[in-house]
Protein backbone atom coordinates (compact mmCIF):
# COMPACT_ATOMS: atom_id res chain seq x y z
CA UNK A 1 0.00 0.00 0.00
CA UNK A 2 1.38 3.40 -0.95
CA UNK A 3 0.72 6.98 0.01
CA UNK A 4 -0.22 8.70 -3.23
CA UNK A 5 -0.85 12.31 -2.28
CA UNK A 6 2.78 12.97 -1.67
CA UNK A 7 6.01 14.10 -3.33
CA UNK A 8 8.56 11.39 -4.10
CA UNK A 9 12.12 11.74 -5.33
CA UNK A 10 12.25 10.42 -8.90
CA UNK A 11 16.00 10.92 -9.23
CA UNK A 12 18.89 13.33 -9.22
CA UNK A 13 18.64 16.29 -11.61
CA UNK A 14 21.58 14.89 -13.57
CA UNK A 15 19.61 11.71 -14.28
CA UNK A 16 17.36 13.75 -16.57
CA UNK A 17 19.53 15.15 -19.37
CA UNK A 18 18.26 17.54 -22.00
CA UNK A 19 16.93 15.61 -25.01
CA UNK A 20 16.74 12.30 -23.12
CA UNK A 21 13.74 10.12 -22.38
CA UNK A 22 14.01 8.51 -18.96
CA UNK A 23 11.74 5.62 -17.96
CA UNK A 24 11.15 5.00 -14.25
CA UNK A 25 8.57 2.99 -12.32
CA UNK A 26 7.29 4.69 -9.19
CA UNK A 27 4.61 3.17 -6.92
CA UNK A 28 4.00 0.69 -9.73
CA UNK A 29 3.27 3.39 -12.31
CA UNK A 30 5.44 3.40 -15.46
CA UNK A 31 6.49 7.00 -16.05
CA UNK A 32 8.50 8.70 -18.77
CA UNK A 33 10.40 11.92 -18.06
CA UNK A 34 11.84 14.47 -20.46
CA UNK A 35 12.87 18.11 -20.44
CA UNK A 36 11.08 20.86 -22.33
CA UNK A 37 12.90 23.62 -24.18
CA UNK A 38 12.91 25.79 -21.03
CA UNK A 39 14.52 22.95 -19.04
CA UNK A 40 11.34 22.16 -17.08
CA UNK A 41 10.73 18.44 -16.58
CA UNK A 42 7.63 16.66 -17.88
CA UNK A 43 6.43 13.37 -16.40
CA UNK A 44 3.87 11.37 -18.36
CA UNK A 45 2.39 7.93 -18.00
CA UNK A 46 4.76 5.68 -19.93
CA UNK A 47 1.94 3.90 -21.72
CA UNK A 48 0.42 5.25 -24.90
CA UNK A 49 -3.38 5.37 -24.70
CA UNK A 50 -3.58 3.76 -28.16
CA UNK A 51 -2.01 0.27 -27.96
CA UNK A 52 -0.14 0.76 -24.68
CA UNK A 53 3.33 1.01 -26.21
CA UNK A 54 5.84 2.74 -23.92
CA UNK A 55 6.22 6.42 -24.70
CA UNK A 56 9.81 6.15 -23.48
CA UNK A 57 10.48 4.56 -26.90
CA UNK A 58 9.09 7.72 -28.45
CA UNK A 59 10.57 10.95 -29.84
CA UNK A 60 10.72 14.38 -28.24
CA UNK A 61 9.38 17.05 -30.64
CA UNK A 62 9.83 20.50 -29.12
CA UNK A 63 7.93 20.34 -25.83
CA UNK A 64 5.81 17.39 -27.04
CA UNK A 65 6.34 13.64 -27.17
CA UNK A 66 5.43 11.41 -30.12
CA UNK A 67 4.70 7.73 -29.68
CA UNK A 68 6.92 5.91 -32.17
CA UNK A 69 4.53 3.02 -32.64
CA UNK A 70 1.74 4.64 -34.67
CA UNK A 71 2.66 8.29 -34.29
CA UNK A 72 0.25 9.83 -31.77
CA UNK A 73 1.68 13.06 -30.44
CA UNK A 74 1.13 14.25 -26.86
CA UNK A 75 1.62 17.68 -25.34
CA UNK A 76 3.40 18.09 -22.00
CA UNK A 77 -0.03 18.05 -20.33
CA UNK A 78 -0.60 14.50 -21.58
CA UNK A 79 -3.27 15.50 -24.09
CA UNK A 80 -3.04 13.94 -27.54
CA UNK A 81 -2.64 16.75 -30.06
CA UNK A 82 -2.11 14.78 -33.26
CA UNK A 83 -3.27 11.48 -34.69
CA UNK A 84 -1.62 11.08 -38.09
CA UNK A 85 -4.31 8.70 -39.40
CA UNK A 86 -7.39 10.82 -38.52
CA UNK A 87 -8.60 14.41 -38.07
CA UNK A 88 -10.73 14.03 -34.98
CA UNK A 89 -8.96 13.57 -31.66
CA UNK A 90 -11.22 11.94 -29.07
CA UNK A 91 -11.24 13.50 -25.61
CA UNK A 92 -10.11 10.13 -24.22
CA UNK A 93 -6.86 10.38 -26.16
CA UNK A 94 -4.83 11.38 -23.14
CA UNK A 95 -2.13 9.98 -20.89
CA UNK A 96 -1.74 10.92 -17.27
CA UNK A 97 0.64 13.74 -16.49
CA UNK A 98 2.27 14.14 -13.08
CA UNK A 99 3.29 17.37 -11.34
CA UNK A 100 7.08 17.67 -11.11
CA UNK A 101 9.32 20.07 -9.18
CA UNK A 102 13.10 20.25 -9.36
CA UNK A 103 14.53 21.32 -6.03
CA UNK A 104 17.89 20.82 -4.28
CA UNK A 105 19.24 18.68 -7.15
CA UNK A 106 16.35 16.26 -6.76
CA UNK A 107 13.43 15.77 -9.15
CA UNK A 108 10.25 15.44 -7.11
CA UNK A 109 7.08 13.91 -8.50
CA UNK A 110 3.56 14.11 -7.06
CA UNK A 111 1.91 10.69 -7.36
CA UNK A 112 -1.63 11.56 -6.28
CA UNK A 113 -4.39 13.95 -7.22
CA UNK A 114 -2.66 16.76 -9.17
CA UNK A 115 -5.09 19.31 -7.74
CA UNK A 116 -3.64 18.66 -4.29
CA UNK A 117 0.02 19.01 -5.24
CA UNK A 118 1.59 21.71 -3.08
CA UNK A 119 5.29 22.54 -3.60
CA UNK A 120 5.46 24.08 -0.15
CA UNK A 121 5.48 20.67 1.56
CA UNK A 122 8.57 19.39 -0.28
CA UNK A 123 11.29 18.89 2.35
CA UNK A 124 14.52 20.88 1.85
CA UNK A 125 17.60 18.72 1.44
CA UNK A 126 20.63 19.66 3.53
CA UNK A 127 23.54 21.49 1.86
CA UNK A 128 22.70 20.26 -1.64
CA UNK A 129 24.29 22.51 -4.23
CA UNK A 130 25.74 24.70 -1.49
CA UNK A 131 29.07 26.18 -2.70
CA UNK A 132 30.43 25.98 0.85
CA UNK A 133 29.98 22.21 0.95
CA UNK A 134 31.29 19.20 -0.94
CA UNK A 135 28.40 17.11 -2.17
CA UNK A 136 28.56 13.60 -3.62
CA UNK A 137 25.50 11.63 -4.68
CA UNK A 138 24.43 8.04 -5.15
CA UNK A 139 21.56 5.70 -5.86
CA UNK A 140 20.82 2.13 -4.83
CA UNK A 141 18.03 -0.31 -5.69
CA UNK A 142 16.74 -2.75 -3.09
CA UNK A 143 14.72 -5.92 -3.67
CA UNK A 144 12.66 -5.04 -0.62
CA UNK A 145 9.56 -3.22 0.49
CA UNK A 146 10.07 0.45 1.28
CA UNK A 147 8.88 0.10 4.88
CA UNK A 148 11.87 -2.06 5.78
CA UNK A 149 14.16 0.69 4.53
CA UNK A 150 12.28 3.36 6.47
CA UNK A 151 12.54 1.14 9.57
CA UNK A 152 16.29 0.80 9.05
CA UNK A 153 16.81 4.56 8.83
CA UNK A 154 14.61 5.23 11.84
CA UNK A 155 16.75 3.11 14.16
CA UNK A 156 20.41 3.98 13.82
CA UNK A 157 21.43 1.67 16.65
CA UNK A 158 22.12 -0.73 13.77
CA UNK A 159 25.23 1.29 12.90
CA UNK A 160 27.22 -0.56 15.57
CA UNK A 161 26.19 -3.95 14.18
CA UNK A 162 25.37 -3.91 10.47
CA UNK A 163 28.07 -1.29 9.94
CA UNK A 164 30.48 -2.44 12.62
CA UNK A 165 33.67 -1.57 10.69
CA UNK A 166 32.27 1.16 8.41
CA UNK A 167 29.93 3.76 9.90
CA UNK A 168 30.07 2.10 13.32
CA UNK A 169 33.88 2.63 13.44
CA UNK A 170 34.30 -0.51 15.56
CA UNK A 171 32.62 1.17 18.48
CA UNK A 172 29.39 0.61 20.39
CA UNK A 173 28.75 4.33 20.65
CA UNK A 174 25.82 4.36 18.19
CA UNK A 175 24.36 1.11 19.48
CA UNK A 176 24.37 2.29 23.09
CA UNK A 177 23.13 5.84 22.50
CA UNK A 178 19.60 6.75 23.58
CA UNK A 179 17.81 8.95 21.04
CA UNK A 180 15.09 11.44 21.84
CA UNK A 181 12.18 11.31 19.38
CA UNK A 182 9.69 14.12 18.91
CA UNK A 183 6.83 14.58 16.48
CA UNK A 184 7.26 17.22 13.78
CA UNK A 185 5.02 18.20 10.90
CA UNK A 186 4.65 15.07 8.70
CA UNK A 187 7.45 13.24 10.44
CA UNK A 188 9.66 12.63 13.43
CA UNK A 189 12.82 14.28 14.75
CA UNK A 190 15.45 12.02 16.28
CA UNK A 191 18.31 13.51 18.26
CA UNK A 192 21.11 12.01 20.29
CA UNK A 193 24.62 12.40 21.54
CA UNK A 194 26.89 9.67 20.28
CA UNK A 195 29.58 9.82 22.95
CA UNK A 196 33.13 8.49 22.74
CA UNK A 197 32.74 8.13 19.02
CA UNK A 198 35.92 7.44 17.01
CA UNK A 199 36.88 10.16 14.56
CA UNK A 200 36.75 9.21 10.85
CA UNK A 201 39.70 6.98 9.94
CA UNK A 202 40.50 9.13 6.91
CA UNK A 203 41.49 12.06 9.12
CA UNK A 204 44.51 9.90 9.97
CA UNK A 205 44.47 10.98 13.62
CA UNK A 206 46.29 8.99 16.32
CA UNK A 207 44.53 5.72 17.20
CA UNK A 208 41.84 6.21 19.82
CA UNK A 209 40.94 9.78 18.80
CA UNK A 210 37.40 10.15 20.05
CA UNK A 211 34.72 12.81 19.87
CA UNK A 212 31.26 13.49 21.19
CA UNK A 213 28.96 13.72 18.19
CA UNK A 214 25.55 15.36 18.09
CA UNK A 215 23.40 13.62 15.50
CA UNK A 216 20.02 15.07 14.66
CA UNK A 217 17.70 14.12 11.86
CA UNK A 218 14.22 14.63 10.59
CA UNK A 219 12.45 11.72 8.95
CA UNK A 220 9.54 12.92 6.93
CA UNK A 221 6.79 11.47 4.77
CA UNK A 222 7.07 9.40 2.63
CA UNK A 223 10.67 8.43 3.56
CA UNK A 224 13.03 11.41 3.47
CA UNK A 225 15.97 11.32 5.85
CA UNK A 226 17.78 14.59 6.66
CA UNK A 227 20.73 14.08 8.99
CA UNK A 228 23.26 16.60 10.28
CA UNK A 229 26.10 15.53 12.55
CA UNK A 230 28.37 17.83 14.56
CA UNK A 231 31.47 16.62 16.36
CA UNK A 232 33.13 18.11 19.44
CA UNK A 233 35.98 17.26 21.79
CA UNK A 234 35.14 14.65 24.40
CA UNK A 235 33.07 15.99 27.25
CA UNK A 236 30.86 18.17 25.07
CA UNK A 237 27.83 15.94 25.59
CA UNK A 238 28.09 16.16 29.38
CA UNK A 239 28.75 19.91 29.24
CA UNK A 240 25.54 20.34 27.22
CA UNK A 241 23.65 18.21 29.77
CA UNK A 242 22.93 15.89 26.85
CA UNK A 243 20.94 18.68 25.17
CA UNK A 244 21.50 20.21 21.73
CA UNK A 245 24.92 21.85 21.60
CA UNK A 246 25.38 25.58 21.08
CA UNK A 247 29.15 25.69 20.51
CA UNK A 248 30.84 25.58 17.12
CA UNK A 249 31.64 21.99 16.16
CA UNK A 250 35.09 20.97 14.95
CA UNK A 251 33.69 18.63 12.29
CA UNK A 252 30.34 18.63 10.50
CA UNK A 253 28.68 16.49 7.92
CA UNK A 254 25.23 16.04 6.49
CA UNK A 255 23.36 13.62 4.34
CA UNK A 256 19.94 13.69 2.72
CA UNK A 257 18.35 10.47 1.59
CA UNK A 258 15.07 9.55 -0.03
CA UNK A 259 13.26 6.23 -0.24
CA UNK A 260 11.03 5.80 -3.29
CA UNK A 261 9.01 2.62 -3.85
CA UNK A 262 9.25 1.15 -7.34
CA UNK A 263 6.74 -1.57 -6.44
CA UNK A 264 5.69 -3.40 -3.28
CA UNK A 265 8.90 -5.42 -3.29
CA UNK A 266 11.38 -3.13 -4.97
CA UNK A 267 12.60 0.27 -3.84
CA UNK A 268 15.08 2.86 -5.01
CA UNK A 269 17.10 4.93 -2.61
CA UNK A 270 18.85 8.23 -3.36
CA UNK A 271 21.51 9.65 -1.04
CA UNK A 272 24.02 12.46 -0.72
CA UNK A 273 27.13 12.87 1.37
CA UNK A 274 28.08 16.45 2.25
CA UNK A 275 31.10 17.84 4.10
CA UNK A 276 31.83 21.47 4.88
CA UNK A 277 34.63 22.89 2.73
CA UNK A 278 35.70 24.95 5.74
CA UNK A 279 36.78 21.82 7.61
CA UNK A 280 37.22 19.05 5.05
CA UNK A 281 39.16 18.44 1.85
CA UNK A 282 37.95 16.98 -1.42
CA UNK A 283 39.83 13.79 -0.55
CA UNK A 284 37.90 13.56 2.74
CA UNK A 285 34.65 13.95 0.82
CA UNK A 286 35.60 11.09 -1.51
CA UNK A 287 36.69 8.86 1.37
CA UNK A 288 33.51 9.57 3.31
CA UNK A 289 31.39 8.64 0.30
CA UNK A 290 33.37 5.42 -0.14
CA UNK A 291 32.56 4.47 3.48
CA UNK A 292 28.90 5.35 2.99
CA UNK A 293 28.68 3.22 -0.16
CA UNK A 294 30.25 0.25 1.60
CA UNK A 295 27.81 0.75 4.46
CA UNK A 296 24.81 0.92 2.17
CA UNK A 297 25.70 -2.39 0.59
CA UNK A 298 25.76 -3.79 4.13
CA UNK A 299 22.26 -2.38 4.67
CA UNK A 300 21.08 -3.82 1.40
CA UNK A 301 22.41 -7.29 2.18
CA UNK A 302 20.69 -7.25 5.60
CA UNK A 303 17.38 -5.78 4.44
CA UNK A 304 17.05 -8.01 1.37
CA UNK A 305 17.75 -11.06 3.56
CA UNK A 306 15.16 -9.79 6.07
CA UNK A 307 12.66 -9.31 3.22
CA UNK A 308 13.20 -12.90 2.08
CA UNK A 309 12.64 -14.28 5.57
CA UNK A 310 9.47 -12.23 5.98
CA UNK A 311 8.16 -13.32 2.58
CA UNK A 312 8.92 -17.01 3.08
CA UNK A 313 7.77 -17.60 6.66
CA UNK A 314 4.42 -17.37 8.38
CA UNK A 315 3.37 -13.94 9.57
CA UNK A 316 3.93 -13.36 13.25
CA UNK A 317 4.25 -10.38 15.54
CA UNK A 318 7.60 -8.69 15.81
CA UNK A 319 9.03 -8.07 19.27
CA UNK A 320 8.75 -4.42 20.27
CA UNK A 321 11.72 -2.73 21.92
CA UNK A 322 12.25 0.78 23.26
CA UNK A 323 14.49 1.47 20.27
CA UNK A 324 11.54 0.86 17.93
CA UNK A 325 9.76 3.98 19.17
CA UNK A 326 10.62 6.17 16.19
CA UNK A 327 9.93 3.58 13.53
CA UNK A 328 6.60 2.66 15.12
CA UNK A 329 5.62 6.31 15.30
CA UNK A 330 6.49 6.79 11.63
CA UNK A 331 4.69 3.60 10.58
CA UNK A 332 1.57 4.86 12.41
CA UNK A 333 1.87 8.26 10.74
CA UNK A 334 2.10 6.71 7.26
CA UNK A 335 -0.70 4.22 7.96
CA UNK A 336 -2.96 7.07 9.13
CA UNK A 337 -2.25 9.14 6.02
CA UNK A 338 -2.82 6.16 3.72
CA UNK A 339 -6.07 5.26 5.48
CA UNK A 340 -7.32 8.86 5.26
CA UNK A 341 -6.46 8.94 1.57
CA UNK A 342 -8.25 5.65 0.95
CA UNK A 343 -11.33 6.97 2.67
CA UNK A 344 -11.54 10.11 0.58
CA UNK A 345 -10.40 8.66 -2.73
CA UNK A 346 -10.10 4.88 -2.86
CA UNK A 347 -9.33 4.90 -6.60
CA UNK A 348 -6.05 6.70 -6.02
CA UNK A 349 -4.18 3.61 -5.01
CA UNK A 350 -5.50 1.33 -7.71
CA UNK A 351 -5.21 2.37 -11.37
CA UNK A 352 -3.92 5.58 -9.85
CA UNK A 353 -5.64 8.50 -11.16
CA UNK A 354 -5.81 7.37 -14.74
CA UNK A 355 -9.24 8.82 -14.31
CA UNK A 356 -7.65 12.04 -13.11
CA UNK A 357 -5.63 12.47 -16.30
S1 LIG B 1 0.67 2.59 -29.42
FE1 LIG B 1 1.18 4.67 -29.44
S2 LIG B 1 0.48 5.35 -31.34
FE2 LIG B 1 -0.15 3.31 -31.28
FE1 LIG C 1 22.47 1.44 7.67
Amino acid sequence: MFLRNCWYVAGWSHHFPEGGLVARTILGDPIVFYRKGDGGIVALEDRCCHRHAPLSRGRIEGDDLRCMYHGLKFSASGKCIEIPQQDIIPSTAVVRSYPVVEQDCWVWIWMGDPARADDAVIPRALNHNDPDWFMLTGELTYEANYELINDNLLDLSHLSYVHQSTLGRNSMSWGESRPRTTAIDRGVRIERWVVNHPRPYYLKLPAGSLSDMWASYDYVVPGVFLLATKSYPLGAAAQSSMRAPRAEPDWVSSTSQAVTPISEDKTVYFYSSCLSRRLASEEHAREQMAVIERAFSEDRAMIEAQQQIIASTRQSRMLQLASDGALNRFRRLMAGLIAAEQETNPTLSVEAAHAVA
Side-chain angles (χ1 to χ4, degrees):
M1 200 64 107
F2 303 122
L3 182 64
R4 284 263 165 193
N5 282 318
C6 195
W7 293 99
Y8 286 85
V9 172
W12 292 102
S13 288
H14 63 258
H15 290 156
F16 303 89
E18 216 175 285
L21 286 168
V22 178
R24 294 240 176 206
T25 301
I26 301 175
L27 314 193
D29 292 8
I31 300 169
V32 57
F33 296 85
Y34 65 95
R35 286 191 189 269
K36 294 187 292 186
D38 65 2
I41 296 184
V42 177
L44 298 178
E45 178 184 358
D46 192 13
R47 184 176 74 162
C48 178
C49 53
H50 177 220
R51 305 303 298 172
H52 295 182
L55 290 176
S56 51
R57 298 180 72 91
R59 183 170 72 202
I60 300 167
E61 297 185 2
D63 286 352
D64 307 321
L65 180 57
R66 188 181 297 280
C67 177
M68 290 301 278
Y69 200 172
H70 313 99
L72 267 66
K73 181 163 149 178
F74 298 89
S75 72
S77 71
K79 202 170 160 348
C80 179
I81 51 174
E82 189 185 316
I83 301 179
Q85 307 82 1
Q86 65 182 56
D87 297 329
I88 294 174
I89 301 177
S91 60
T92 50
V94 63
V95 292
R96 182 178 178 193
S97 95
Y98 297 79
V100 173
V101 170
E102 205 168 356
Q103 179 177 289
D104 298 334
C105 307
W106 270 337
V107 173
W108 297 84
I109 183 166
W110 178 266
M111 296 300 294
D113 176 359
R116 297 189 56 191
D118 174 9
D119 308 8
V121 301
I122 299 178
R124 298 308 305 255
L126 305 178
N127 311 115
H128 282 187
N129 235 5
D130 181 336
D132 295 335
W133 287 66
F134 294 109
M135 174 196 178
L136 294 171
T137 66
E139 173 188 355
L140 191 66
T141 302
Y142 281 86
E143 301 291 332
N145 180 269
Y146 69 96
E147 285 199 293
L148 297 183
I149 303 166
N150 286 345
D151 290 351
N152 168 274
L153 293 165
L154 283 155
D155 178 4
L156 296 186
S157 67
H158 79 267
L159 265 66
S160 292
Y161 303 96
V162 177
H163 309 305
Q164 188 179 345
S165 63
T166 52
L167 299 174
R169 300 178 189 166
N170 295 308
S171 154
M172 282 307 298
S173 48
W174 273 102
E176 289 171 350
S177 65
R178 302 280 174 95
R180 184 171 34 248
T181 303
T182 46
I184 57 169
D185 189 30
R186 293 169 68 78
V188 292
R189 176 163 299 157
I190 300 162
E191 301 167 298
R192 51 155 68 80
W193 276 102
V194 183
V195 295
N196 298 329
H197 191 47
R199 299 274 187 177
Y201 81 91
Y202 53 75
L203 294 181
K204 302 187 172 67
L205 297 168
S209 295
L210 302 175
S211 66
D212 281 355
M213 186 174 76
W214 174 252
S216 168
Y217 64 101
D218 289 352
Y219 204 88
V220 294
V221 168
V224 182
F225 172 91
L226 306 163
L227 167 71
T229 59
K230 299 177 180 180
S231 298
Y232 298 86
L234 283 184
Q239 278 157 22
S240 308
S241 309
M242 301 307 276
R243 294 275 174 201
R246 295 227 176 88
E248 269 297 301
D250 58 28
W251 186 257
V252 289
S253 72
S254 72
T255 175
S256 301
Q257 306 175 10
V259 175
T260 300
I262 294 171
S263 62
E264 288 289 351
D265 50 15
K266 197 166 180 172
T267 305
V268 62
Y269 178 51
F270 303 99
Y271 53 89
S272 65
S273 169
C274 299
L275 286 181
S276 162
R277 286 178 188 267
R278 190 170 56 81
L279 300 167
S281 69
E282 199 166 354
E283 181 64 14
H284 293 148
R286 267 199 302 275
E287 299 219 41
Q288 161 130 318
M289 187 52 146
V291 174
I292 284 182
E293 299 214 303
R294 278 209 305 283
F296 289 176
S297 8
E298 293 165 344
D299 278 318
R300 181 162 64 178
M302 178 61 85
I303 293 171
E304 289 184 347
Q306 179 194 19
Q307 170 79 66
Q308 281 173 22
I309 289 282
I310 291 171
S312 63
T313 52
R314 76 183 159 75
Q315 298 278 310
S316 68
R317 282 181 74 82
M318 293 181 181
L319 175 69
Q320 298 300 317
L321 301 179
S323 56
D324 297 319
L327 70 86
N328 281 332
R329 200 187 274 226
F330 192 76
R331 275 190 177 235
R332 280 198 300 275
L333 171 63
M334 286 289 286
L337 289 169
I338 291 170
E341 184 173 281
Q342 292 290 302
E343 228 164 78
T344 52
N345 194 346
T347 58
L348 269 178
S349 69
V350 201
E351 271 289 289
H354 282 149
V356 173

